[in-house]
Amino acid sequence: MNNQMPSTNDRPTLISVSDLTLAFGSRVIQHDVSFEVKRGSIFAVMGGSGCGKSTLLKSMIGLLRPRQGTYMVGKDNYWSGDDQSRIQIGRRFGVLFQSGALWSSMTVGENVALPMQMFTSLTPPVIRQLVELKLGLVGMLHAIDQYPSELSGGMRKRAGLARAISLDPDILFFDEPSAGLDPITSARLDDLILNLRDGLGATIIIVSHELSSLFHIADDGIFLDAGQKTAVAHGSPTWLRDHCTDPLVHAFMHREQLDTSSPHENG
Amino acid sequence: MNTSVNGAPQWQLQPEANRTLVTLSGNWIAQEGRIPEFPDSALKEIRQGEPVEFSTDQLGRWDTSLISFLWKLKRSALEAHVDLRMDTLPESAHKLLDLLPENPPQPQPPAPHHFAPVAAVGQLTLDTLNEIGCVSEMGTAAARGGFAALVGRGMMRTVDLMTDLSAAGPAALLIVGVVNFLVGAILAFVGSVELHKFAADIYVASLVAIAMVREMSAVMTAIIMAGRTGGAYAARISTMQGNEEIDALQVFGIPVSSYLILPSVLALAFTMPLLYLYGCLIGMFGGFCVSYIMLHVSPLGYFHETLQALPLDQFTFGFIKSFVFGTFIGLTSCRIGLKAGRSAADVGIAATKAVVVGIVGVIALDAVFAVIANVIGI
């Protein structure tokens, strides 16, 4: 079965995940997931609702310890070190949570400024300047003094993105960036993601099932299946759409209903 | 990008024959904490019509700190009508600069703050009256919902009432017991100091009994419940507000007053009088323990004296008081929860406010009851 895109990318590997098993108690969410993310690429984690995409993301950003397997970031084994080493590696991460996850007691500007105040020795005027820059990049400069409760969903996401890039991370994680956004806002966000990748040289990992946006931006990815509880296909969304023969992936990529009359391994 | 470059970020403005050259050098990394500023006046010297170009041969690693510097430069150039040629800049820097607005909006100055005590007092009075009106209206609606429930047409779910009853009643027995026991014991200690001088130790029993039944048990229990249950109600309802759960109820036409507030208020109004009786009993037991162990009062004597001191109407009065306290705490904390904002901080504010209003309100109501008792001669 053709479910592995031939490698055409000669950039160095930044993240490598091998045989990762994720579980809550005795309930296994995904097992033996392996993939590599090249430096500077936009990597999509795809799959239907409830297949464990967000759980995989959680373990990659340090919120959930995997049952087994290794997760390498550069030369560091993320989960084998102590808390301190994980925090050190985590300083390279920027995360955009599904609904922004802005701290509600602070203004948008303060949200973006907080990581800089905590982790750099920059002076307040320089921080202010950088906060304006980051909010300017995501088109949210006008809302710098507003509170998250005064913003719409799309604005919260963009502000969350500004906060995610506040420390100029080289690895960005996006959890459902376009969920709940209108097509125009969503397309603008896609362009922004591409610009940030090119401008900041960041590596981006996106969890999403928003096909139009994935075809547009992602150049590599994996497809997780809730039935088999593992990754069933590797490749960019466009490659999976055009070449993958796995029936579930095919149905997903072509927005078709799965043919359940014939025996099917994904059950 | 020149990776062999080391050193601090620097820039230099060099006038040349037909152009001005901005040389950027060093590593521009925000986290290293050294970012040069671009002064507003730097471009004033440039002759009209002469372009400004960039040299980036000495530029090392860079991140958004360089973009921040270039953005400032770009805005200055726009203001000074200088022709800025950015084609020698790294392409990715271009892309980021293109995303940035050319004229960032100026921050609005905060609204001037006037000190106007009369207006403030007036506003406070109006707000308080408005709140009293809202709470009464809510109480009426809840009572109407209660009557509807009695005839079987209510919107209240029995399971909600049971959950609230169990949270406000049995779950509170331990803390109400401990506090009232200690209050009774303390009263016995304090009373014995004076009474012992007159060899009237036995009257400790009547002192503890009257104090517990008339005031202490009702007030202490109400204060505990305001902190424990009132705060929880306010936090729960304001969290529901944040999750749009209240909006969903309203859209379905499910009356918030009878679906959400009635079970909470009923639970407190039912359990408070019972907790009051239980508190009286435990408080008198606390007084008895102290009298028996420390003052050597006989158990039978203590029991007899307690019965002598307590006419039934004292209980009735305390019973009514705790019913009112329970209703008051239930209604105000639900109202505070409903009025809260939608953020995490607002939940904390609502819970604190519910506790403060509950405790102050209970004590104020108790004062009103004391006056009423005095007038009708109980």
Side-chain angles (χ1 to χ4, degrees):
Chain A
M1 184 175 284
N2 196 7
N3 54 13
Q4 172 90 44
M5 179 171 78
S7 180
T8 52
N9 193 331
D10 52 359
R11 278 178 292 199
T13 299
L14 179 62
I15 288 175
S16 122
V17 169
S18 43
D19 300 325
L20 208 67
T21 296
L22 303 162
F24 291 116
S26 61
R27 195 161 60 93
V28 173
I29 309 294
Q30 284 285 326
H31 63 83
D32 302 313
V33 177
S34 304
F35 59 91
E36 284 186 347
V37 182
K38 305 279 184 195
R39 187 179 290 276
S41 65
I42 298 185
F43 187 93
V45 178
M46 294 162 278
S49 304
C51 71
K53 300 188 297 287
S54 294
T55 314
L56 175 63
L57 185 84
K58 267 190 181 166
S59 97
M60 292 181 78
I61 58 179
L63 296 177
L64 177 78
R65 186 181 277 278
R67 164 109 12 122
Q68 59 192 45
T70 51
Y71 168 35
M72 306 288 293
V73 181
K75 292 189 181 66
D76 305 304
N77 188 336
Y78 186 81
W79 286 108
S80 73
D82 55 5
D83 285 355
Q84 207 50 46
S85 76
R86 271 201 294 282
I87 290 173
Q88 272 307 320
I89 304 171
R91 291 273 297 278
R92 299 173 64 183
F93 295 170
V95 184
L96 169 60
F97 291 91
Q98 209 171 103
S99 51
L102 297 170
W103 298 301
S104 55
S105 56
M106 291 180 227
T107 62
V108 169
E110 288 166 343
N111 262 282
V112 182
L114 187 72
M116 294 188 226
Q117 289 162 350
M118 294 285 178
F119 297 117
T120 68
S121 53
L122 299 172
T123 56
V126 178
I127 290 184
R128 172 87 193 176
Q129 200 181 325
L130 286 171
V131 167
E132 281 180 6
L133 171 88
K134 301 217 157 148
L135 286 171
L137 285 176
V138 300
M140 286 289 293
L141 195 50
H142 58 279
I144 188 165
D145 290 322
Q146 276 177 297
Y147 282 90
S149 54
E150 298 166 320
L151 305 180
S152 71
M155 287 163 91
R156 264 182 235 177
K157 268 203 179 144
R158 282 189 282 152
L161 181 54
R163 189 182 66 182
I165 59 172
S166 77
L167 292 175
D168 288 299
D170 62 343
I171 306 170
L172 278 164
F173 294 92
F174 292 165
D175 193 2
E176 304 278 5
S178 31
L181 299 185
D182 68 85
I184 297 173
T185 316
S186 168
R188 277 193 54 191
L189 194 70
D190 289 347
D191 285 340
L192 184 62
I193 291 171
L194 286 172
N195 279 320
L196 288 177
R197 191 266 304 263
D198 298 341
L200 302 173
T203 306
I204 296 175
I205 291 153
I206 294 187
V207 165
S208 178
H209 43 53
E210 204 68 38
L211 287 174
S212 53
S213 129
L214 287 177
F215 292 141
H216 183 47
I217 58 176
D219 41 29
D220 199 1
I222 52 166
F223 191 95
L224 302 180
D225 176 21
Q228 297 178 50
K229 295 192 193 300
T230 190
V232 290
H234 295 72
S236 75
T238 12
W239 186 88
L240 291 178
R241 178 188 60 192
D242 300 336
H243 302 285
C244 185
T245 48
D246 184 287
L248 176 72
V249 178
H250 186 86
F252 185 95
M253 290 295 166
H254 293 266
R255 292 176 181 269
E256 286 165 358
Q257 290 204 351
L258 205 55
D259 182 10
T260 45
S261 58
S262 61
H264 178 260
E265 61 183 270
N266 292 312
Chain B
M1 182 189 312
N2 188 344
T3 48
S4 63
V5 171
N6 284 316
Q10 278 175 347
W11 65 280
Q12 215 180 0
L13 209 67
Q14 285 169 312
E16 289 183 358
N18 292 322
R19 60 174 190 173
T20 305
L21 195 66
V22 179
T23 311
L24 300 166
S25 60
N27 289 323
W28 293 66
I29 302 293
Q31 293 208 33
E32 289 171 5
R34 298 164 300 183
I35 303 174
E37 272 228 42
F38 188 79
D40 285 324
S41 56
L43 293 176
K44 291 270 155 65
E45 310 288 307
I46 291 171
R47 277 158 292 174
Q48 281 290 321
E50 257 189 23
V52 172
E53 291 178 8
F54 291 91
S55 156
T56 55
D57 299 337
Q58 294 301 307
L59 183 63
R61 291 179 298 125
W62 59 270
D63 64 6
T64 43
S65 58
L66 175 70
I67 309 294
S68 169
F69 175 84
L70 291 174
W71 189 31
K72 182 83 190 296
L73 201 159
K74 194 176 162 187
R75 276 181 285 162
S76 294
L78 201 75
E79 227 167 77
H81 304 288
V82 171
D83 176 21
L84 206 59
R85 300 216 175 134
M86 308 183 98
D87 34 348
T88 48
L89 288 174
E91 199 199 333
S92 41
H94 255 297
K95 282 192 169 171
L96 292 180
L97 275 172
D98 287 345
L99 290 174
L100 292 164
E102 278 170 358
N103 301 309
Q106 291 305 309
Q108 288 163 354
H113 186 77
H114 295 300
F115 178 65
V118 178
V121 170
Q123 193 59 45
L124 190 73
T125 314
L126 285 178
D127 289 348
T128 313
L129 287 174
N130 185 31
E131 271 316 294
I132 293 174
C134 286
V135 171
S136 323
E137 200 184 330
M138 216 172 73
T140 328
R144 224 181 290 133
F147 285 120
L150 278 182
V151 295
R153 285 189 288 112
M155 289 285 212
M156 180 177 66
R157 298 193 313 156
T158 325
V159 60
D160 289 339
L161 179 63
M162 288 303 161
T163 319
D164 282 348
L165 273 176
S166 136
L173 282 178
L174 183 68
I175 182 169
V176 170
V178 169
V179 170
N180 279 300
F181 180 88
L182 293 176
V183 169
I186 293 164
L187 283 172
F189 270 123
V190 175
S192 71
V193 175
E194 277 303 304
L195 291 171
H196 191 67
K197 289 184 192 160
F198 301 99
D201 290 343
I202 186 71
Y203 290 110
V204 166
S206 30
L207 178 124
V208 171
I210 291 173
M212 287 311 293
V213 172
R214 259 193 96 130
E215 290 296 338
M216 296 316 280
S217 176
V219 172
M220 293 315 285
T221 309
I223 287 176
I224 294 166
M225 297 312 277
R228 197 181 162 280
T229 313
Y233 285 169
R236 182 181 69 187
I237 294 180
S238 58
T239 309
M240 290 177 77
Q241 187 81 268
N243 290 343
E244 297 181 320
E245 292 173 50
I246 307 276
D247 298 348
L249 285 176
Q250 280 174 349
V251 169
F252 274 112
I254 300 171
V256 176
S257 56
S258 52
Y259 174 79
L260 204 62
I261 294 165
L262 184 62
S264 308
V265 176
L266 273 187
L268 270 180
F270 272 146
T271 51
M272 279 284 281
L274 300 177
L275 285 174
Y276 154 76
L277 286 181
Y278 162 79
C280 290
L281 211 65
I282 296 273
M284 287 187 262
F285 178 67
F288 166 72
C289 287
V290 170
S291 311
Y292 181 61
I293 298 165
M294 317 284 290
L295 312 173
H296 311 293
V297 175
S298 78
L300 206 63
Y302 191 93
F303 182 67
H304 179 75
E305 195 50 47
T306 302
L307 283 187
Q308 285 289 308
L310 280 182
L312 193 64
D313 53 358
Q314 298 283 4
F315 272 109
T316 324
F317 194 59
F319 209 77
I320 294 171
K321 263 205 309 201
S322 12
F323 176 79
V324 174
F325 289 165
T327 315
F328 171 79
I329 294 169
L331 280 175
T332 49
S333 42
C334 288
R335 166 71 191 158
I336 288 167
L338 277 178
K339 224 182 75 170
R342 288 167 183 258
S343 75
D346 291 327
V347 176
I349 294 170
T352 315
K353 210 166 158 191
V355 173
V356 172
V357 170
I359 291 176
V360 174
V362 160
I363 293 173
L365 277 179
D366 194 51
V368 175
F369 274 113
V371 175
I372 295 174
N374 193 19
V375 170
I376 60 178
I378 296 176

